[in-house]
Amino acid sequence: MRTLRWLLLLLALGLLQTFTSVIWSPLGYVDWLLIAVVYMALRGSFREAVILGAIAGLMQDGLSQEIVGLHGFGKTSIAAVIASFGSFLVVRGPLPE
């Protein structure tokens, strides 16, 4: 169930990232999927972070007109690095307000 919520969130963020640059161009520079992948890498397990990073990257490749696999590799590697260093940071509690 948790993974399904993350997949739906990634789909929504992928569509948001694709269409916000049409509405207002400065929002096109924000990588919403990368923000979600980094957040998941800090809060979740290594395996979940790498899998969702790969899915987010491949989804971004499918929605964009760029090289297939470019974002998939990038987001997977970023998720792996952040998840490995995330073990040093304890980010398990609720977010500060």
Side-chain angles (χ1 to χ4, degrees):
M1 186 66 179
R2 181 175 150 196
T3 307
L4 180 63
R5 279 189 278 154
W6 274 104
L7 289 176
L8 290 175
L9 176 69
L10 289 178
L11 179 64
L13 288 175
L15 292 174
L16 177 75
Q17 185 168 339
T18 303
F19 295 117
T20 52
S21 61
V22 175
I23 297 170
W24 192 45
S25 62
L27 283 178
Y29 295 113
V30 179
D31 194 350
W32 300 105
L33 288 171
L34 183 61
I35 294 171
V37 166
V38 168
Y39 180 76
M40 179 58 195
L42 286 174
R43 305 243 339 153
S45 69
F46 181 83
R47 191 179 98 198
E48 287 177 342
V50 169
I51 290 172
L52 286 176
I55 291 171
L58 291 175
M59 184 184 327
Q60 187 173 359
D61 286 333
L63 292 172
S64 67
Q65 299 295 326
E66 297 179 13
I67 301 170
V68 175
L70 177 69
H71 296 290
F73 177 72
K75 288 197 180 13
T76 304
S77 59
I78 288 172
V81 169
I82 297 291
S84 349
F85 288 124
S87 63
F88 298 116
L89 304 170
V90 179
V91 197
R92 300 279 184 227
L95 290 174
E97 294 180 13

